[in-house]
């Protein structure tokens, strides 16, 4: 395995924390990628990693992604993530969650945790008994399940993508193919159906499908058929890495816009979409509604303000697609450039302020609007 310092250097992290609590059965790694724009925030994933190298790679990749997501969303937050090594179905105990909470508290706010795969809203409630630095719980001002806001933001981003593709910005009469109708996919179907879109859906769980067929009149196709659906928008809302050399040749959509994280298997796949004229709404920009929702807790949760901020995902996607066109680069590259520009502005301002806690005035303004 490559040394930890070598890997941290590659990803540009500030800090990696390894921790164990033997009695509680906790083995965790926290990745603080960047605190340039504010404290690092990102979910805690509990997963049965095959070895600690795999856990480290995951936390490095995910925490860096959070830095970019927060920067593009205009939040005064950095990027972090935690992984707990273990099976969430059999090894997640209140003792383990509390030990994790104490670990987070020990970082004094450099890292703020939230839910991710293997962690539920109720688990955050337990973690919060030990730390002030956890968001997304259901008690004491917690914002609860973020998937409704993720879906709402994705819906707004779709409208901007439609406009950029020259298809107007109305969903009415458009066909949207949705891969995965779980938490986010279900709510997305609800917004799309209310807007008059025709829905074609797939999932590996029949129960999920039945619900959207009954409630929204969706047409069902098999998991392998979703890529070839003749549609305006293909919306990946299940797994990552589903845009690749095997699936892209099958696509008959004009736009890819969905909530799934890490949709491009490789950088090259983003270039292939661009060359084929398929408009891609970068995943971490369009799916930031959930992050905006949990981050709002830090200022005292106010749903109206959250909705206003999530609505702005429309202009974020519009801005990215506009830059992509002007610079003749794929949208994922335009999004990365936007994030990097905001981070370097924040870094400069932090230097000017003697190294402490500064964010650009634009970012401060947008955060006070959350
Ligand atoms: P979820 O687990 O509730 O839903 C995912 C759905 O995809 C499930 O119904 C599952 O059965 C289905 N699925 C899995 N494999 C599939 C396959 N091969 N083909 C078709 N369907 C398949 O998860 P979610 O919370 O709805 O999140 C969906 C995606 O959005 C994930 O990639 C997640 O990381 C991302 N995301 C979610 C949020 C949020 O607020 N929940 C925020 C940002 C990003």
């Amino acid at each position: 395995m490559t040394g930890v310092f070598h890997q941290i250097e590659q990803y540009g992290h500030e800090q990696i924390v390894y921790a164990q609590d033997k009695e509680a059965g906790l083995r965790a790694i926290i990745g603080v990628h960047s605190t340039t724009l504010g404290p690092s925030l990102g979910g805690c994933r509990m997963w049965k990693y095959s070895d600690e190298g795999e856990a480290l790679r995951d936390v490095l990749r995910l925490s860096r992604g959070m830095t970019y997501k927060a920067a593009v969303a205009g939040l005064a937050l950095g990027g972090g993530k935690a992984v707990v090594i273990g099976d969430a179905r059999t090894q997640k105990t209140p003792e383990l969650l509390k030990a994790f909470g104490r670990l987070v508290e020990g970082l004094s706010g450099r890292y703020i945790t939230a839910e991710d795969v293997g962690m539920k809203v109720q688990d955050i409630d337990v973690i919060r008994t030990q730390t002030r630095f956890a968001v997304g719980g259901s008690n004491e001002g917690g914002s609860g399940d973020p998937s409704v806001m993720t879906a709402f933001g994705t819906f707004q981003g779709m409208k901007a993508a439609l406009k950029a593709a020259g298809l107007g910005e109305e969903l009415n009469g458009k066909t949207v193919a949705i891969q995965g109708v779980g938490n986010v996919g279900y709510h997305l179907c609800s917004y799309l159906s209310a807007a008059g879109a025709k829905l074609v859906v797939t999932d590996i769980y029949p129960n999920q499908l039945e619900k959207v067929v009954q409630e929204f009149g969706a047409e069902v196709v098999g998991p392998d058929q979703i890529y070839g659906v003749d549609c305006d928008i293909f919306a990946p809302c299940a797994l990552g890495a589903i845009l690749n050399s095997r699936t892209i040749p099958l696509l008959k959509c004009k736009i890819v816009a969905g909530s799934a994280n890490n949709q491009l298997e490789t950088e090259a796949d983003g270039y292939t979409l661009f060359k084929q004229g398929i408009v891609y709404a970068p995943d971490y920009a369009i799916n930031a509604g959930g992050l905006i929702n949990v981050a709002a807790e830090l200022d005292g949760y106010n749903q109206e303000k959250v909705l206003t901020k999530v609505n702005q995902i429309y202009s974020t996607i519009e801005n990215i697609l506009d830059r992509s066109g002007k610079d003749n680069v794929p949208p994922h590259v335009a999004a990365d450039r936007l994030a990097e520009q905001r981070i370097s502005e924040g870094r400069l301002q932090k230097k000017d302020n003697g190294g402490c806690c500064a964010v650009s005035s634009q970012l401060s303004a947008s955060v006070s609007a959350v």
Side-chain angles (χ1 to χ4, degrees), residues 36 344-359:
T36 301
S344 67
E345 279 168 13
R347 193 170 293 128
L348 279 178
Q349 200 162 344
K350 207 170 174 178
K351 255 190 199 160
D352 287 349
N353 291 1
C356 180
C357 328
V359 291

Side-chain angles (χ1 to χ4, degrees), residues 154-168:
T154 304
F155 177 65
Q156 297 306 325
M158 280 181 170
K159 291 196 228 169
L162 277 172
K163 193 172 162 213
L167 301 171

Side-chain angles (χ1 to χ4, degrees), residues 45 69 145-148 150 179-185 202-205 208 223 237-240 259-261 287 290:
R45 176 168 294 190
K69 188 185 282 206
D145 178 5
S147 58
V148 184
T150 303
Q179 180 183 48
V181 284
N183 291 324
V184 179
T202 193
D203 201 291
I204 50 172
Y205 288 119
Q208 303 285 93
C237 295
L239 310 169
S259 75
N261 279 313
N287 73 13

Side-chain angles (χ1 to χ4, degrees), residues 116-251:
D116 196 84
V117 177
M119 288 285 172
K120 299 198 171 99
V121 172
Q122 294 75 12
D123 300 327
I124 298 298
D125 292 341
V126 179
I127 291 168
R128 277 170 73 144
T129 61
Q130 308 296 309
T131 181
R132 297 158 288 167
F133 307 113
V135 289
S138 65
N139 56 17
E140 292 168 45
S143 56
D145 178 5
S147 58
V148 184
M149 287 299 173
T150 303
F152 182 60
T154 304
F155 177 65
Q156 297 306 325
M158 280 181 170
K159 291 196 228 169
L162 277 172
K163 193 172 162 213
L167 301 171
E169 55 175 45
E170 289 305 319
L171 263 312
N172 190 17
K174 301 291 191 304
T175 301
V176 184
I178 302 163
Q179 180 183 48
V181 284
N183 291 324
V184 179
Y186 169 81
H187 293 298
L188 185 60
C189 283
S190 168
Y191 287 119
L192 289 168
S193 165
K198 176 176 183 282
L199 307 179
V200 182
V201 296
T202 193
D203 201 291
I204 50 172
Y205 288 119
N207 284 356
Q208 303 285 93
L209 288 167
E210 253 168 53
K211 232 168 41 162
V212 292
V213 168
Q214 277 176 12
E215 291 183 35
F216 310 119
E219 179 192 330
V220 175
V221 297
D224 293 337
Q225 293 169 318
I226 196 76
Y227 301 104
V229 172
D230 197 350
C231 60
D232 297 288
I233 304 176
F234 169 50
C237 295
L239 310 169
I242 51 84
L243 298 170
N244 54 50
S245 55
R246 300 171 301 286
T247 58
I248 293 174
L250 306 174
L251 295 178

Side-chain angles (χ1 to χ4, degrees), residues 85 238 257 278 343:
I85 300 171
I278 295 176
I343 295 161

Side-chain angles (χ1 to χ4, degrees), residues 25-97:
L26 175 75
R27 288 172 78 214
I29 312 175
I30 295 179
V32 176
H33 177 256
S34 170
T35 57
T36 301
L37 298 177
S40 72
L41 191 152
C44 172
R45 176 168 294 190
M46 185 161 182
W47 192 252
K48 219 177 155 199
Y49 293 101
S50 56
D51 59 51
E52 64 189 61
E54 191 192 357
L56 176 64
R57 278 191 297 280
D58 213 23
V59 82
L60 291 176
R61 194 177 54 85
L62 294 167
S63 51
R64 184 178 62 174
M66 291 309 294
T67 299
Y68 279 65
K69 188 185 282 206
V72 160
L75 296 170
L77 289 172
K81 205 92 180 182
V83 295
V84 171
I85 300 171
D87 189 334
R89 287 168 307 173
T90 56
Q91 291 172 282
K92 193 168 62 182
T93 60
E95 291 70 33
L96 178 141
L97 294 170

